[in-house]
């Protein structure tokens, strides 16, 4: 895993943190799904261009589940207000083993406390 990067706006002092994971070979995949597959389908020497076919599920690496993922007829990601993707937040350290669940009691006892509207990043250690 690469370190989290931060950019600071020189005018406001606002800190922007990059939270996404690299995407490609060995991308973490939800259990039960096949790994991402990359296949070269055109070559520079033969076709004058290089093209790859990528196949896999959308639920790989860092992504956003739009409400339509779970609710028929609900909003697609393009309909979500941009303000939902920026804001104040906290980072909570809640050590867990692989696939071990974060529980409500874990969240209630974690520090710092979470305020309404906070974005929350949970660091489990795996």
């Amino acid at each position: 895993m690469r370190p989290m990067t931060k950019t600071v706006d020189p005018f406001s002092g606002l800190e922007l943190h990059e939270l996404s994971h690299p995407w490609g070979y060995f991308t973490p995949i939800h259990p039960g799904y096949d790994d991402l597959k990359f296949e070269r389908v055109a070559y520079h020497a033969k076709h004058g261009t290089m093209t790859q076919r990528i196949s896999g599920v959308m639920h790989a690496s860092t992504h956003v589940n739009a409400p339509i993922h779970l609710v028929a007829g609900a909003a697609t990601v393009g309909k979500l207000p941009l303000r939902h993707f920026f804001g104040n937040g906290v980072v909570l350290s809640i050590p867990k083993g692989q696939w071990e669940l974060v529980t409500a009691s874990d969240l209630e006892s974690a520090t710092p406390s979470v305020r309404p509207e906070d974005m929350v990043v949970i660091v489990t250690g795996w």
Side-chain angles (χ1 to χ4, degrees), residues 88-94 106-122:
N88 294 318
V90 295
V91 177
L92 304 179
S93 177
I94 303 176
D106 291 329
L107 296 171
E108 290 165 359
S109 63
T111 57
S113 59
V114 179
R115 297 175 306 211
E117 304 293 320
D118 272 352
M119 294 187 176
V120 179
V121 175
I122 300 171

Side-chain angles (χ1 to χ4, degrees), residues 23-41:
W23 191 85
Y25 287 113
F26 309 113
T27 293
I29 302 293
H30 191 279
Y33 292 144
D34 291 335
D35 286 331
L36 297 174
K37 295 181 179 80
F38 301 85
E39 175 188 9
R40 179 89 38 101
V41 295

Side-chain angles (χ1 to χ4, degrees), residues 6-68:
K6 169 176 83 170
T7 300
V8 179
D9 181 318
F11 300 105
S12 67
L14 181 67
E15 294 181 5
L16 303 170
H17 294 268
E18 170 59 62
L19 301 176
S20 60
H21 291 275
W23 191 85
Y25 287 113
F26 309 113
T27 293
I29 302 293
H30 191 279
Y33 292 144
D34 291 335
D35 286 331
L36 297 174
K37 295 181 179 80
F38 301 85
E39 175 188 9
R40 179 89 38 101
V41 295
Y43 298 82
H44 289 112
K46 185 174 180 181
H47 305 102
T49 185
M50 192 278 288
T51 303
Q52 297 182 70
R53 177 179 295 120
I54 302 168
S55 58
V57 296
M58 291 172 51
H59 297 279
S61 194
T62 308
H63 67 282
V64 173
N65 280 339
I68 197 169

